[in-house]
Amino acid sequence: MTALLGLDLTDRRVLVVGGGPVCARRATALLTEGARIRLVAPYLCEDLAALADVGAVDWQAREVTASDLDHVWLAHTATGDRAVDADVARWAEERRVWCVVASEATTGTARTPATAREGELVIGVVSEGAPDPGRVAAVRDSVAEHLRDGADLRRRRRVPGTPGHVVLVGGGPGAVDLLTLRARRALAEADVVVTDRLGPRSVLEQLSSSVEVIDVGKTPGHHPVPQHEINRILVEQAQRGRSVVRLKGGDPFVYGRGGEEVLACREAGVPVEVVPGISSALAVPAAAGIPLTHRGTVAAVHVVNGHDGLDESACVAMRDRSATVVVLMGVSALATMAAEALEHGADPQTPVAIVERGTTPTQRVTRGPLAEIAGLAREAGVRAPAIVVIGDVAAPGLLEPSADAMLVP
């Protein structure tokens, strides 16, 4: 029977016998785990030679002997010579040293597992009897994918005794499967989640019932929890020794006031980190099939906050058609912005697209020329959250092949 054990090889000597690619891969992995490598082989492949040249391994340029097994914790042999590998395994067993024989797993006393790391977890899979590397790798990948997908959000992995801290998590534009892996790990370790109205709110249903959720969401013109109060909540919760996730829509540093929250934490001496998110300014147009840059059309992007109105650069970009203008939080100010752009010389026929609830099942796109878009939006009942894209890339059919192109054999 095979038992799985996690070995701490940090600063412990491991013998690697053989100079080929198999030993190179294993030596590299052992070095990552902190082991001190004694490498015995007459000749080395290029990768092992590079490790020896920088002193990462203690290379003995000769054939292996029984004394090489003295004072080591683990041995790994892959010489390509079955008789030599068998000798190494026998010498190791005489000294009660665990030994991996790469050429014949049943000969050694240990097997190298197929491994993957996910956060603080190390996944290891081995087979019994005849080696089955394909199945072992498939099982490892399946388990790792399960963890990466965040299926373990109800099984919190926070290390007990760690100090309180804040993690600003960019939740992306709304679809749960656009959360990053790092964002999911942060949520899995949270004691409390301070969440916005936007972003992937349905992920909250996957959290452990012991996680406290504090809703500080804002709607247009209605901010029940002002920013200074949000800052206070983050600091206070962390000072209580809790792991605090600030779940925000999009990216924390793109019109998300993430900088203010980081500053508040640092001023209070609270550790804080930022997990980037997929910004709605980039993701929502892409989800609607609108490329913000397109060769031969436009090569620059200008992002503005609709609450602040259009700046001079945005007006120039629309007038000269030198950049795509992307407006976040601009639905309520759409008529004012369109009028301002026209006053600055923008072409009334400039294409505009409004993407509501981007990346979600209820995504909707409303299009029209700049001079008419405000009226069309009113008729369609456009509501926030929405992203406004202004420029030639918003033209319908931009990515549709021309009739002539489709006739080319």
Side-chain angles (χ1 to χ4, degrees):
M1 298 292 290
T2 300
L4 281 175
L5 294 174
L7 300 180
D8 182 1
L9 296 176
T10 304
D11 205 32
R12 293 186 168 94
R13 186 174 295 281
V14 175
L15 174 67
V16 175
V17 184
V22 174
C23 285
R25 291 194 297 271
R26 190 59 190 142
T28 300
L30 289 165
L31 288 170
T32 301
E33 293 161 9
R36 292 185 292 123
I37 306 297
R38 174 186 294 165
L39 175 63
V40 180
Y43 306 101
L44 302 182
C45 68
E46 185 176 342
D47 290 341
L48 279 175
L51 293 177
D53 287 344
V54 297
V57 297
D58 174 19
W59 177 34
Q60 304 296 313
R62 54 174 172 76
E63 299 290 346
V64 66
T65 64
S67 61
D68 289 318
L69 277 295
D70 294 340
H71 311 300
V72 302
W73 292 73
L74 175 69
H76 186 286
T77 181
T79 64
D81 186 322
R82 290 181 178 271
V84 173
D85 288 343
D87 285 340
V88 174
R90 177 169 51 82
W91 296 332
E93 188 162 4
E94 291 172 354
R95 290 162 174 76
R96 298 185 178 181
V97 172
W98 297 107
C99 180
V100 176
V101 180
S103 61
E104 182 53 64
T106 57
T107 301
T109 53
R111 295 189 179 191
T112 301
T115 61
R117 291 181 181 270
E118 291 299 327
E120 298 298 322
L121 296 180
V122 179
I123 305 159
V125 182
V126 296
S127 60
E128 288 192 317
D132 192 350
R135 185 183 182 194
V136 165
V139 172
R140 173 204 59 194
D141 294 343
S142 178
V143 175
E145 183 178 4
H146 177 79
L147 295 176
R148 283 195 298 268
D149 285 346
D152 65 335
L153 286 185
R154 295 184 186 275
R155 301 172 184 170
R156 294 165 52 208
R157 301 169 294 176
R158 186 185 175 212
V159 178
T162 55
H165 61 279
V166 173
V167 184
L168 271 60
V169 170
V176 173
D177 55 359
L178 289 178
L179 269 171
T180 65
L181 302 182
R182 188 174 297 181
R184 284 190 170 274
R185 293 187 188 119
L187 285 166
E189 298 168 2
D191 296 306
V192 58
V193 176
V194 181
T195 183
D196 275 344
R197 180 179 66 92
L198 303 178
R201 288 179 62 91
S202 61
V203 76
L204 301 175
E205 300 170 3
Q206 303 175 26
L207 299 175
S208 167
S209 59
S210 62
V211 177
E212 180 181 358
V213 177
I214 301 175
D215 195 332
V216 295
K218 304 170 184 177
T219 58
H222 181 57
H223 298 177
V225 185
Q227 187 61 49
H228 68 84
E229 179 65 11
I230 295 174
N231 296 347
R232 185 197 64 77
I233 291 171
L234 297 177
V235 169
E236 181 185 84
Q237 291 289 334
Q239 288 176 335
R240 291 169 56 187
R242 309 182 82 184
S243 175
V244 184
V245 166
R246 174 72 170 106
L247 181 60
K248 309 171 78 69
D251 181 274
F253 281 1
V254 180
Y255 296 119
R257 296 194 173 182
E260 298 174 42
E261 293 171 356
V262 167
L263 185 58
C265 290
R266 289 177 175 169
E267 287 177 343
V270 170
V272 59
E273 65 174 296
V274 178
V275 176
I278 303 175
S279 173
S280 300
L282 306 178
V284 169
I290 302 171
L292 296 184
T293 64
H294 188 61
R295 188 166 63 171
T297 303
V298 68
V301 181
H302 191 87
V303 181
V304 299
N305 177 354
H307 294 167
D308 298 333
L310 297 177
D311 57 24
E312 183 66 25
S313 297
C315 291
V316 170
M318 283 188 278
R319 183 193 67 202
D320 298 343
R321 292 186 157 165
S322 57
T324 301
V325 175
V326 179
V327 185
L328 282 69
M329 300 170 284
V331 171
S332 61
L334 186 57
T336 301
M337 289 189 298
E340 186 177 359
L342 293 171
E343 289 176 3
H344 279 75
D347 185 342
Q349 297 303 309
T350 301
V352 180
I354 307 172
V355 187
E356 300 171 80
R357 302 175 298 277
T359 76
T360 74
T362 59
Q363 174 177 297
R364 182 176 69 157
V365 181
T366 301
R367 298 177 187 266
L370 181 63
E372 302 173 23
I373 191 61
L376 293 171
R378 281 194 301 272
E379 292 174 9
V382 169
R383 297 287 183 270
I387 302 296
V388 181
V389 182
I390 307 172
D392 291 327
V393 294
L398 177 70
L399 299 185
E400 296 294 331
S402 66
D404 291 341
M406 295 180 68
L407 294 175
V408 176

